[in-house]
């Protein structure tokens, strides 16, 4: 998964792009937008999980250790490309 993500982001945003979760906004606006978009998407998925009676810390693939949103992290993978395309457009 990590190797494909590296390949994907370089094709999408250019050869010099590195995906980081910690960044300086002035120097790395793409990562800032991606992190913000993923956070919004994760919160919306968590919201819908809980209003439908599911517990977001019980997961299929992600470890629930120190992660109260592991199920949301499983489900976000299907929709992550929407944020990627939106950031590319911006």
């Amino acid at each position: 998964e990590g190797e494909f993500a590296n390949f994907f982001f370089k094709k999408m945003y250019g050869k010099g792009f590195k995906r980081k979760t910690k960044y300086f906004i002035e120097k790395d606006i793409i990562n800032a937008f991606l992190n913000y978009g993923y956070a919004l998407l994760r919160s919306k998925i968590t919201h819908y999980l809980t209003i439908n009676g599911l517990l977001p810390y019980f997961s299929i693939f992600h470890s629930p250790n120190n992660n109260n949103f592991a199920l949301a992290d499983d489900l976000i993978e299907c929709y992550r490309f929407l944020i990627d395309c939106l950031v590319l457009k911006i």
Side-chain angles (χ1 to χ4, degrees):
E1 182 182 350
E3 284 189 39
F4 178 76
N6 189 27
F7 171 79
F8 171 77
F9 282 120
K10 286 185 184 208
K11 285 288 185 185
M12 195 142 185
Y13 300 113
K15 288 184 179 181
F17 182 77
K18 278 191 169 254
R19 179 75 183 105
K20 295 179 265 183
T21 55
K22 294 183 179 176
Y23 54 88
F24 296 103
I25 292 175
E26 298 84 17
K27 294 183 179 183
D28 200 355
I29 198 71
I30 294 173
N31 274 313
F33 280 149
L34 288 171
N35 291 340
Y36 183 70
Y38 296 153
L40 288 176
L41 184 58
R42 185 186 195 204
S43 70
K44 204 54 148 166
I45 290 171
T46 302
H47 170 77
Y48 283 113
L49 288 171
T50 55
I51 66 171
N52 285 296
L54 296 171
L55 299 172
Y57 52 85
F58 289 127
S59 173
I60 301 165
F61 298 110
H62 285 85
S63 173
N65 297 343
N66 298 324
N67 183 359
N68 290 328
F69 310 106
L71 184 55
D73 290 343
D74 284 343
L75 298 174
I76 199 173
E77 300 300 334
C78 303
Y79 302 102
R80 213 178 262 270
F81 77 94
L82 296 171
I83 302 298
D84 300 336
C85 291
L86 185 62
V87 169
L88 183 63
K89 212 177 209 185
I90 292 172

